[in-house]
Amino acid sequence: MSVSRRSVLKLAGGAGLALAAVPALTGCSATSELNPGELVSKAKLPAPFTVPLPFPTPTKPVATDAGRDRYTMALKAAEVEILPGYRTRIWGYEGTFPGPCLEARSGVPMVVSQTNQLTVPVVTHLHGGLTPPSDDGFPTDLVYPASLADMADPAKAAAMPGMPGMPAMNDPLAHTSAVERTYTFPMRQRAATLWYHDYRMDFTGAQVWKGLFGLCVVRDDEEAKLPLPHGERELPLLITDRAFDADGQLAYPSHDPTLLGKAGMAKSIMGGATGDDPCQRRAAAVRRGRGGAVSAAVRQRLQRPTL
């Protein structure tokens, strides 16, 4: 089955698939022993074809020196408009949803310095990147906020009383830090579309849901020689599922909304969930995975050749 670019964009618009604003929750397959629950938005959703589909603009590096592109990012809370008429509280790289779009060049290292201005630990992973362990953003390589800075010192952390939600695991190889961390991504890889995201142990899903993710496009000479759309005709798409409460806030049934207490979510959706999409409710087959996965219903719709 062949699908034209125009068909894909028409389908995206018809489904109300604004960039990173699809109101649905990813889940697991219909063969799971757990039946899918339901997580439906209570906010007023836009009618199809009424919200322009936004496309990410590559962020320029703050500096290029010694053959490296350098970027800086602050991970912080912000209010943004995802649904028309609502201001939604998010956690974002540079306070945006999604985070800045990075454009890397194969063979040119990318150095990303980040500051954690949130209230919870974070760690960034470049999904699909060929990155050495020291900079790969392992789930226990946490960057603690200023309010928990002492947790970055193993000796001080061991002497502190138990803190609900703080990592109880003892990882002697963890590379922890307080407030700031710099990642170096070698980018010794072919052209590809990647994404980066928070990877905190036990809280990845909830923190990505809040907005800690972004796009990274890798370019190389081989790609440049191909007859592919470029410039204004190249349209990067980043699709993700979300649900919203009556106030337009991101609805995620965490055991502890502060993400500093008990990890996990409501049992009712541990087997996945259907969301706002009528097609999704009919299909009832959804895929469970990391924050970047999309529902089977969304994939199904994007695969249709015509409306």
Side-chain angles (χ1 to χ4, degrees):
M1 179 185 296
S2 61
V3 183
S4 69
R5 289 168 57 83
R6 184 179 299 275
S7 296
V8 169
L9 294 178
K10 287 172 66 179
L11 291 169
L17 301 184
L19 177 71
V22 185
L25 176 68
T26 60
C28 67
S29 70
T31 60
S32 170
E33 295 180 0
L34 294 172
N35 293 322
E38 185 176 81
L39 186 59
V40 178
S41 292
K42 296 181 180 180
K44 181 180 179 180
L45 302 179
F49 304 108
T50 60
V51 179
L53 185 66
F55 298 103
T57 301
T59 300
K60 294 182 179 179
V62 295
T64 299
D65 55 66
R68 299 182 174 194
D69 288 338
R70 298 184 179 274
Y71 296 86
T72 59
M73 292 183 184
L75 284 67
K76 56 187 177 181
E79 289 192 355
V80 300
E81 183 175 288
I82 301 175
L83 298 179
Y86 295 93
R87 299 297 295 177
T88 302
R89 292 185 297 274
I90 59 106
W91 292 353
Y93 293 91
E94 286 296 288
T96 63
F97 187 97
C101 176
L102 304 179
E103 187 170 274
R105 184 75 186 170
S106 177
V108 178
M110 185 170 59
V111 180
V112 182
S113 298
Q114 296 183 344
T115 303
N116 182 5
Q117 298 179 8
L118 297 169
T119 57
V120 300
V122 295
V123 57
T124 297
H125 173 69
L126 180 60
H127 200 103
L130 301 182
T131 310
S134 59
D135 291 280
D136 200 30
F138 196 72
T140 53
D141 289 346
L142 300 174
V143 182
Y144 290 91
S147 58
L148 299 171
D150 284 349
M151 295 291 291
D153 184 332
K156 292 182 179 180
M160 295 176 68
M163 297 184 65
M166 292 299 97
M169 75 292 290
N170 179 21
D171 182 2
L173 300 180
H175 176 189
T176 59
S177 56
V179 184
E180 299 178 342
R181 176 161 182 185
T182 296
Y183 299 87
T184 299
F185 303 107
M187 308 314 300
R188 290 192 290 268
Q189 57 190 96
R190 299 176 64 185
T193 301
L194 314 179
W195 67 295
Y196 60 92
H197 60 88
D198 178 75
Y199 211 11
R200 177 190 171 195
M201 177 69 78
D202 295 332
F203 292 89
T204 297
Q207 295 189 181
V208 171
W209 184 272
K210 280 181 168 289
L212 292 176
F213 66 97
L215 193 66
C216 178
V217 179
V218 185
R219 309 285 189 184
D220 66 9
D221 292 337
E222 183 179 10
E223 179 204 31
K225 295 176 183 178
L226 297 175
L228 298 174
H230 60 277
E232 64 179 12
R233 294 183 176 275
E234 181 181 40
L235 309 176
L237 287 175
L238 182 59
I239 302 174
T240 186
D241 302 342
R242 294 294 184 272
F244 301 85
D245 67 18
D247 295 325
Q249 304 309 310
L250 295 167
Y252 189 91
S254 300
H255 288 313
D256 178 7
T258 69
L259 305 188
L260 286 172
K262 182 180 178 181
M265 66 179 71
K267 186 177 180 179
S268 62
I269 64 166
M270 289 183 65
T274 55
D276 298 310
D277 184 357
C279 294
Q280 188 187 46
R281 295 200 192 99
R282 289 198 301 268
V286 290
R287 177 186 174 198
R288 186 176 187 181
R290 297 191 178 109
V294 297
S295 66
V298 172
R299 293 199 307 276
Q300 180 186 58
R301 184 162 49 219
L302 292 177
Q303 290 168 357
R304 296 176 187 166
T306 58
L307 287 174

